[in-house]
Amino acid sequence: MSTELDVFVGNTTVLDEDVYQLWLDGHTVSNAVRIRMEAGALQECEANAEVLHSDTMDQFRTFQMCERLLQSPSKVANQLLFQIPPHRQTMLIERYYEFDSVFAREVLGKKLSKGTKKDLDDISSKTGIALKCCRRQFDNFKHVFKVVEELKGPLVENIQRHFLLSDVLARDYAAIVFFANSRFETGKRKLQYLSFQDFAFCAGQLISYWTVGAVNNVMEDLDVDLEKEFLHDLKDLKVLVNDKDMLDQHKSLVCAQLRGKIKVFSEMEASFKNLSRALVNIASKLTHTKDFRDLFIDLVEKFIEPRRSDKWTIGDLRLFLKHYSSSVHTLEAFRHQVIWDRYMGVIKSCILKMYHD
């Protein structure tokens, strides 16, 4: 008696996205099997626990073998060991480099060094993220920083080109690199309410408008150092609060625009001098290299917290900053409009992003 069989042989690597996520999250094989069973994998695959364990172990082994390639994403497309369709390659790379915002917030602004890596046990306990997952994310931060550190050109584009990441993820990595490079203070208690995404937005603003790369796209190396000439020129803005006539004229212009439009008009009018002095003093402090790292704590302590205490709404704040910034163009004696716009454009955006509970 003869039996006919149809046999199909293929070599496309089988990858289960859910199991990949479990591996990325730092689970052991046993934990991953338990989670899969709780999710109904046995019924779905009509398999027993032994088969599920074997499948999970096989998948984990495949991911561990792929990891070396994922650390140099451009090699994934050209290697011959694993036959992975292009859309799956994209998924593997993007997910490998994704990170938890709460983890990124903990290491933001710290040196990407062995000293910080020793703190990962504490960060793992605090965030509830598996230590293995914390290590992968930290190593990715460090690896991206080292690769782009010596590259010419725009930071986000360099990250996208070398790591094949989506625009959104590349911008988040740019924020990590920017803060690791500039070492802005982010860990003070008064800054704890700010999320990674708050800081990432502000980093994007600073990179786009205040850095060397904002004015010169062909730098010899990393283009996210703050431009020293711009920081030095910020001291010229002090004339706005040191010249009494200019201060009074500025106040009159802003009050004329806001009368009847904001609920805190009386408080704003009475404290205009302090409001303006706070914003201008923050600018002048940035001229000192050792002080510019306090930018975010200064914004919170000297401007955001007092507005919160006076019960300003986000709408009040938005209108005030709009007219406070634009009315300077009407001051004939003021000669630093370009520096002012470059400074206030970023400060206005950052304050509005940071103004929340």
Side-chain angles (χ1 to χ4, degrees):
M1 178 179 168
S2 63
T3 305
E4 289 187 10
L5 292 173
D6 290 325
V7 178
F8 173 79
V9 178
N11 62 351
T12 300
T13 305
V14 177
L15 301 169
D16 186 308
E17 291 187 31
D18 293 333
V19 180
Y20 183 48
Q21 192 59 54
L22 292 170
W23 178 75
L24 290 173
D25 290 341
H27 290 287
T28 62
V29 171
S30 299
N31 273 348
V33 170
R34 178 180 54 77
I35 292 168
R36 293 183 77 187
M37 287 174 71
E38 289 171 358
L42 291 181
Q43 293 80 6
E44 189 180 321
C45 304
E46 297 181 357
N48 58 36
E50 188 180 342
V51 171
L52 193 65
H53 187 279
S54 177
D55 175 66
T56 305
M57 186 180 286
D58 185 50
Q59 294 266 340
F60 269 41
R61 194 180 298 115
T62 300
F63 300 139
Q64 284 159 2
M65 292 169 69
C66 285
E67 188 164 22
R68 182 178 53 81
L69 297 168
L70 291 169
Q71 289 164 356
S72 301
S74 59
K75 293 181 180 177
V76 175
N78 300 318
Q79 54 80 37
L80 300 174
L81 186 60
F82 302 101
Q83 301 304 306
I84 305 171
H87 73 281
R88 285 284 186 154
Q89 293 176 18
T90 302
M91 180 276 294
L92 287 173
I93 294 166
E94 186 81 0
R95 286 215 198 166
Y96 185 77
Y97 284 93
E98 281 176 355
F99 55 83
D100 294 285
S101 292
V102 287
F103 173 77
R105 179 66 184 88
E106 290 297 320
V107 300
L108 199 65
K110 293 180 180 176
K111 258 183 130 175
L112 300 176
S113 63
K114 288 181 181 177
T116 304
K117 194 167 185 177
K118 288 177 183 175
D119 297 334
L120 295 185
D121 277 322
D122 294 334
I123 294 174
S124 173
S125 299
K126 182 178 178 181
T127 60
I129 299 166
L131 180 58
K132 186 178 178 183
C133 186
C134 288
R135 284 180 179 146
R136 174 181 60 81
Q137 295 181 45
F138 181 81
D139 288 342
N140 283 345
F141 293 166
K142 190 175 176 181
H143 180 47
V144 171
F145 182 85
K146 287 202 164 198
V147 168
V148 300
E149 192 176 14
E150 303 300 328
L151 297 177
K152 297 179 182 179
L155 178 59
V156 176
E157 290 178 23
N158 282 338
I159 292 172
Q160 282 184 292
R161 187 167 66 253
H162 284 267
F163 292 93
L164 310 180
L165 304 180
S166 65
D167 182 69
V168 171
L169 190 54
R171 289 182 187 282
D172 283 345
Y173 268 96
I176 298 284
V177 171
F178 176 73
F179 275 99
N181 181 65
S182 56
R183 307 289 305 286
F184 279 104
E185 175 58 62
T186 60
K188 292 275 177 73
R189 185 178 58 80
K190 288 188 176 182
L191 297 176
Q192 291 307 304
Y193 81 97
L194 294 169
S195 68
F196 168 75
Q197 290 305 333
D198 291 332
F199 279 117
F201 172 84
C202 294
Q205 293 291 305
L206 291 161
I207 291 169
S208 295
Y209 300 105
W210 285 10
T211 59
V212 176
V215 290
N216 183 354
N217 277 339
V218 193
M219 296 305 300
E220 289 303 314
D221 52 22
L222 196 63
D223 72 347
V224 291
D225 290 325
L226 297 180
E227 191 200 351
K228 288 179 181 174
E229 187 179 344
F230 165 67
L231 297 180
H232 181 265
D233 290 343
L234 288 173
K235 72 181 188 304
D236 295 332
L237 303 183
K238 290 212 70 152
V239 68
L240 278 171
V241 291
N242 289 345
D243 185 315
K244 187 177 183 305
D245 290 340
M246 197 177 291
L247 178 61
D248 290 342
Q249 192 183 353
H250 191 193
K251 177 180 176 179
S252 297
L253 289 166
V254 175
C255 288
Q257 291 290 337
L258 294 178
R259 188 171 278 106
K261 293 179 182 175
I262 60 173
K263 294 176 184 176
V264 290
F265 179 82
S266 299
E267 294 88 339
M268 183 278 296
E269 187 177 32
S271 61
F272 183 86
K273 184 177 179 180
N274 289 336
L275 286 166
S276 190
R277 196 175 295 282
L279 291 169
V280 172
N281 283 347
I282 288 170
S284 61
K285 194 175 175 184
L286 288 168
T287 62
H288 307 292
T289 308
K290 65 177 183 179
D291 291 332
F292 78 69
R293 290 175 182 155
D294 290 332
L295 172 63
F296 296 104
I297 194 72
D298 285 344
L299 285 174
V300 169
E301 287 184 345
K302 295 179 171 136
F303 192 83
I304 291 173
E305 281 189 341
R307 305 298 74 75
R308 276 210 209 105
S309 298
D310 289 342
K311 304 290 192 293
W312 284 44
T313 66
I314 189 70
D316 292 335
L317 189 62
R318 185 175 284 109
L319 268 178
F320 169 76
L321 290 171
K322 174 186 174 184
H323 292 293
Y324 174 78
S325 180
S326 63
S327 60
V328 165
H329 290 270
T330 316
L331 300 173
E332 292 181 10
F334 187 67
R335 296 284 181 267
H336 312 288
Q337 311 285 7
V338 174
I339 296 296
W340 174 253
D341 287 344
R342 190 176 172 189
Y343 170 69
M344 275 307 297
V346 169
I347 289 296
K348 184 167 57 175
S349 297
C350 289
I351 287 174
L352 292 173
K353 185 68 175 176
M354 295 164 67
Y355 196 76
H356 60 79
D357 295 331

mmCIF file of all heavy atoms in Angstrom, residues 100-126:
data_model
loop_
_atom_site.group_PDB
_atom_site.id
_atom_site.type_symbol
_atom_site.label_atom_id
_atom_site.label_comp_id
_atom_site.label_asym_id
_atom_site.label_seq_id
_atom_site.Cartn_x
_atom_site.Cartn_y
_atom_site.Cartn_z
ATOM 1 N N ASP A 100 11.110 51.974 27.487
ATOM 2 C CA ASP A 100 10.061 52.421 28.403
ATOM 3 C C ASP A 100 10.340 53.863 28.813
ATOM 4 O O ASP A 100 11.438 54.177 29.286
ATOM 5 C CB ASP A 100 10.027 51.530 29.648
ATOM 6 C CG ASP A 100 9.597 50.108 29.319
ATOM 7 O OD1 ASP A 100 8.399 49.905 29.093
ATOM 8 O OD2 ASP A 100 10.466 49.215 29.267
ATOM 9 N N SER A 101 9.346 54.719 28.674
ATOM 10 C CA SER A 101 9.524 56.131 29.024
ATOM 11 C C SER A 101 9.920 56.317 30.485
ATOM 12 O O SER A 101 10.718 57.196 30.813
ATOM 13 C CB SER A 101 8.239 56.921 28.731
ATOM 14 O OG SER A 101 8.014 56.987 27.341
ATOM 15 N N VAL A 102 9.352 55.477 31.379
ATOM 16 C CA VAL A 102 9.683 55.631 32.808
ATOM 17 C C VAL A 102 11.152 55.272 33.066
ATOM 18 O O VAL A 102 11.804 55.870 33.927
ATOM 19 C CB VAL A 102 8.765 54.778 33.712
ATOM 20 C CG1 VAL A 102 7.376 55.368 33.778
ATOM 21 C CG2 VAL A 102 8.724 53.322 33.262
ATOM 22 N N PHE A 103 11.681 54.313 32.296
ATOM 23 C CA PHE A 103 13.102 53.974 32.431
ATOM 24 C C PHE A 103 13.959 55.122 31.895
ATOM 25 O O PHE A 103 14.928 55.543 32.541
ATOM 26 C CB PHE A 103 13.436 52.684 31.674
ATOM 27 C CG PHE A 103 14.906 52.387 31.640
ATOM 28 C CD1 PHE A 103 15.535 51.856 32.760
ATOM 29 C CD2 PHE A 103 15.675 52.666 30.516
ATOM 30 C CE1 PHE A 103 16.904 51.607 32.754
ATOM 31 C CE2 PHE A 103 17.039 52.419 30.500
ATOM 32 C CZ PHE A 103 17.654 51.885 31.625
ATOM 33 N N ALA A 104 13.601 55.629 30.728
ATOM 34 C CA ALA A 104 14.366 56.728 30.121
ATOM 35 C C ALA A 104 14.381 57.944 31.044
ATOM 36 O O ALA A 104 15.394 58.641 31.167
ATOM 37 C CB ALA A 104 13.763 57.100 28.771
ATOM 38 N N ARG A 105 13.246 58.188 31.713
ATOM 39 C CA ARG A 105 13.164 59.337 32.628
ATOM 40 C C ARG A 105 14.161 59.200 33.771
ATOM 41 O O ARG A 105 14.739 60.196 34.232
ATOM 42 C CB ARG A 105 11.725 59.446 33.179
ATOM 43 C CG ARG A 105 11.496 60.588 34.178
ATOM 44 C CD ARG A 105 11.659 61.937 33.498
ATOM 45 N NE ARG A 105 11.547 63.033 34.447
ATOM 46 C CZ ARG A 105 12.560 63.524 35.137
ATOM 47 N NH1 ARG A 105 13.781 63.011 35.005
ATOM 48 N NH2 ARG A 105 12.386 64.556 35.967
ATOM 49 N N GLU A 106 14.385 57.957 34.228
ATOM 50 C CA GLU A 106 15.303 57.723 35.348
ATOM 51 C C GLU A 106 16.759 57.987 34.975
ATOM 52 O O GLU A 106 17.549 58.413 35.815
ATOM 53 C CB GLU A 106 15.150 56.286 35.867
ATOM 54 C CG GLU A 106 13.845 56.003 36.573
ATOM 55 C CD GLU A 106 13.656 56.817 37.838
ATOM 56 O OE1 GLU A 106 14.641 56.993 38.585
ATOM 57 O OE2 GLU A 106 12.527 57.301 38.074
ATOM 58 N N VAL A 107 17.135 57.709 33.732
ATOM 59 C CA VAL A 107 18.552 57.863 33.346
ATOM 60 C C VAL A 107 18.798 59.165 32.583
ATOM 61 O O VAL A 107 19.945 59.483 32.267
ATOM 62 C CB VAL A 107 19.044 56.665 32.491
ATOM 63 C CG1 VAL A 107 18.909 55.373 33.272
ATOM 64 C CG2 VAL A 107 18.299 56.562 31.169
ATOM 65 N N LEU A 108 17.741 59.922 32.319
ATOM 66 C CA LEU A 108 17.868 61.153 31.525
ATOM 67 C C LEU A 108 18.826 62.141 32.189
ATOM 68 O O LEU A 108 18.712 62.436 33.377
ATOM 69 C CB LEU A 108 16.493 61.804 31.369
ATOM 70 C CG LEU A 108 16.340 62.807 30.224
ATOM 71 C CD1 LEU A 108 16.491 62.112 28.878
ATOM 72 C CD2 LEU A 108 14.989 63.503 30.296
ATOM 73 N N GLY A 109 19.768 62.628 31.406
ATOM 74 C CA GLY A 109 20.700 63.623 31.909
ATOM 75 C C GLY A 109 21.898 63.044 32.642
ATOM 76 O O GLY A 109 22.814 63.766 33.006
ATOM 77 N N LYS A 110 21.881 61.707 32.866
ATOM 78 C CA LYS A 110 23.021 61.082 33.536
ATOM 79 C C LYS A 110 24.046 60.644 32.507
ATOM 80 O O LYS A 110 23.729 60.464 31.338
ATOM 81 C CB LYS A 110 22.553 59.862 34.345
ATOM 82 C CG LYS A 110 21.660 60.226 35.525
ATOM 83 C CD LYS A 110 21.235 58.985 36.283
ATOM 84 C CE LYS A 110 20.333 59.363 37.453
ATOM 85 N NZ LYS A 110 19.831 58.168 38.166
ATOM 86 N N LYS A 111 25.267 60.464 32.969
ATOM 87 C CA LYS A 111 26.309 59.964 32.074
ATOM 88 C C LYS A 111 26.007 58.526 31.717
ATOM 89 O O LYS A 111 25.647 57.726 32.577
ATOM 90 C CB LYS A 111 27.665 60.025 32.777
ATOM 91 C CG LYS A 111 28.531 61.192 32.359
ATOM 92 C CD LYS A 111 29.855 61.120 33.049
ATOM 93 C CE LYS A 111 30.951 61.282 32.018
ATOM 94 N NZ LYS A 111 32.281 61.336 32.654
ATOM 95 N N LEU A 112 26.144 58.186 30.442
ATOM 96 C CA LEU A 112 25.900 56.807 30.009
ATOM 97 C C LEU A 112 27.175 55.996 30.233
ATOM 98 O O LEU A 112 27.861 55.604 29.303
ATOM 99 C CB LEU A 112 25.467 56.792 28.537
ATOM 100 C CG LEU A 112 24.182 57.564 28.233
ATOM 101 C CD1 LEU A 112 23.901 57.575 26.736
ATOM 102 C CD2 LEU A 112 23.000 56.979 28.993
ATOM 103 N N SER A 113 27.462 55.771 31.520
ATOM 104 C CA SER A 113 28.731 55.137 31.898
ATOM 105 C C SER A 113 28.483 53.951 32.818
ATOM 106 O O SER A 113 27.353 53.647 33.181
ATOM 107 C CB SER A 113 29.610 56.167 32.624
ATOM 108 O OG SER A 113 28.954 56.569 33.826
ATOM 109 N N LYS A 114 29.587 53.287 33.218
ATOM 110 C CA LYS A 114 29.476 52.140 34.120
ATOM 111 C C LYS A 114 28.850 52.538 35.444
ATOM 112 O O LYS A 114 28.145 51.748 36.070
ATOM 113 C CB LYS A 114 30.864 51.539 34.347
ATOM 114 C CG LYS A 114 31.418 50.787 33.147
ATOM 115 C CD LYS A 114 32.778 50.198 33.458
ATOM 116 C CE LYS A 114 33.340 49.462 32.231
ATOM 117 N NZ LYS A 114 34.703 48.947 32.487
ATOM 118 N N GLY A 115 29.121 53.768 35.884
ATOM 119 C CA GLY A 115 28.566 54.232 37.149
ATOM 120 C C GLY A 115 27.048 54.214 37.136
ATOM 121 O O GLY A 115 26.409 53.745 38.088
ATOM 122 N N THR A 116 26.468 54.703 36.045
ATOM 123 C CA THR A 116 25.006 54.702 35.923
ATOM 124 C C THR A 116 24.487 53.285 35.755
ATOM 125 O O THR A 116 23.433 52.928 36.287
ATOM 126 C CB THR A 116 24.568 55.568 34.717
ATOM 127 O OG1 THR A 116 25.097 56.894 34.867
ATOM 128 C CG2 THR A 116 23.048 55.659 34.632
ATOM 129 N N LYS A 117 25.251 52.449 35.038
ATOM 130 C CA LYS A 117 24.812 51.070 34.823
ATOM 131 C C LYS A 117 24.695 50.308 36.148
ATOM 132 O O LYS A 117 23.862 49.417 36.297
ATOM 133 C CB LYS A 117 25.781 50.349 33.875
ATOM 134 C CG LYS A 117 25.219 49.037 33.333
ATOM 135 C CD LYS A 117 26.031 48.501 32.173
ATOM 136 C CE LYS A 117 25.344 47.259 31.589
ATOM 137 N NZ LYS A 117 26.046 46.738 30.414
ATOM 138 N N LYS A 118 25.532 50.703 37.135
ATOM 139 C CA LYS A 118 25.458 50.059 38.447
ATOM 140 C C LYS A 118 24.143 50.380 39.156
ATOM 141 O O LYS A 118 23.731 49.663 40.065
ATOM 142 C CB LYS A 118 26.642 50.509 39.316
ATOM 143 C CG LYS A 118 27.977 49.914 38.890
ATOM 144 C CD LYS A 118 29.110 50.459 39.743
ATOM 145 C CE LYS A 118 30.452 49.927 39.262
ATOM 146 N NZ LYS A 118 31.578 50.545 39.997
ATOM 147 N N ASP A 119 23.510 51.497 38.756
ATOM 148 C CA ASP A 119 22.249 51.902 39.390
ATOM 149 C C ASP A 119 21.041 51.178 38.809
ATOM 150 O O ASP A 119 19.914 51.389 39.269
ATOM 151 C CB ASP A 119 22.029 53.415 39.215
ATOM 152 C CG ASP A 119 23.112 54.237 39.896
ATOM 153 O OD1 ASP A 119 23.709 53.725 40.869
ATOM 154 O OD2 ASP A 119 23.358 55.386 39.465
ATOM 155 N N LEU A 120 21.254 50.346 37.799
ATOM 156 C CA LEU A 120 20.115 49.724 37.112
ATOM 157 C C LEU A 120 19.302 48.793 38.011
ATOM 158 O O LEU A 120 18.101 48.643 37.816
ATOM 159 C CB LEU A 120 20.590 48.976 35.856
ATOM 160 C CG LEU A 120 21.179 49.846 34.738
ATOM 161 C CD1 LEU A 120 21.500 48.987 33.516
ATOM 162 C CD2 LEU A 120 20.236 50.978 34.344
ATOM 163 N N ASP A 121 19.949 48.181 39.004
ATOM 164 C CA ASP A 121 19.211 47.347 39.971
ATOM 165 C C ASP A 121 18.138 48.177 40.671
ATOM 166 O O ASP A 121 16.985 47.760 40.787
ATOM 167 C CB ASP A 121 20.163 46.765 41.025
ATOM 168 C CG ASP A 121 20.858 45.506 40.526
ATOM 169 O OD1 ASP A 121 20.203 44.719 39.823
ATOM 170 O OD2 ASP A 121 22.044 45.315 40.834
ATOM 171 N N ASP A 122 18.545 49.364 41.130
ATOM 172 C CA ASP A 122 17.604 50.252 41.833
ATOM 173 C C ASP A 122 16.513 50.743 40.894
ATOM 174 O O ASP A 122 15.341 50.807 41.276
ATOM 175 C CB ASP A 122 18.349 51.453 42.430
ATOM 176 C CG ASP A 122 19.316 51.042 43.533
ATOM 177 O OD1 ASP A 122 19.070 49.986 44.161
ATOM 178 O OD2 ASP A 122 20.298 51.760 43.746
ATOM 179 N N ILE A 123 16.908 51.086 39.671
ATOM 180 C CA ILE A 123 15.925 51.579 38.696
ATOM 181 C C ILE A 123 14.927 50.475 38.356
ATOM 182 O O ILE A 123 13.726 50.723 38.231
ATOM 183 C CB ILE A 123 16.632 52.090 37.416
ATOM 184 C CG1 ILE A 123 17.464 53.336 37.750
ATOM 185 C CG2 ILE A 123 15.615 52.402 36.316
ATOM 186 C CD1 ILE A 123 18.322 53.843 36.604
ATOM 187 N N SER A 124 15.419 49.244 38.248
ATOM 188 C CA SER A 124 14.542 48.098 37.973
ATOM 189 C C SER A 124 13.516 47.932 39.087
ATOM 190 O O SER A 124 12.324 47.743 38.826
ATOM 191 C CB SER A 124 15.380 46.820 37.819
ATOM 192 O OG SER A 124 14.556 45.688 37.710
ATOM 193 N N SER A 125 13.977 48.016 40.340
ATOM 194 C CA SER A 125 13.062 47.880 41.487
ATOM 195 C C SER A 125 12.047 49.010 41.520
ATOM 196 O O SER A 125 10.862 48.794 41.784
ATOM 197 C CB SER A 125 13.862 47.880 42.799
ATOM 198 O OG SER A 125 14.760 46.795 42.827
ATOM 199 N N LYS A 126 12.502 50.225 41.221
ATOM 200 C CA LYS A 126 11.631 51.400 41.281
ATOM 201 C C LYS A 126 10.575 51.390 40.190
ATOM 202 O O LYS A 126 9.418 51.750 40.412
ATOM 203 C CB LYS A 126 12.484 52.671 41.181
ATOM 204 C CG LYS A 126 11.691 53.961 41.271
ATOM 205 C CD LYS A 126 12.626 55.163 41.217
ATOM 206 C CE LYS A 126 11.829 56.471 41.245
ATOM 207 N NZ LYS A 126 12.726 57.650 41.178
#
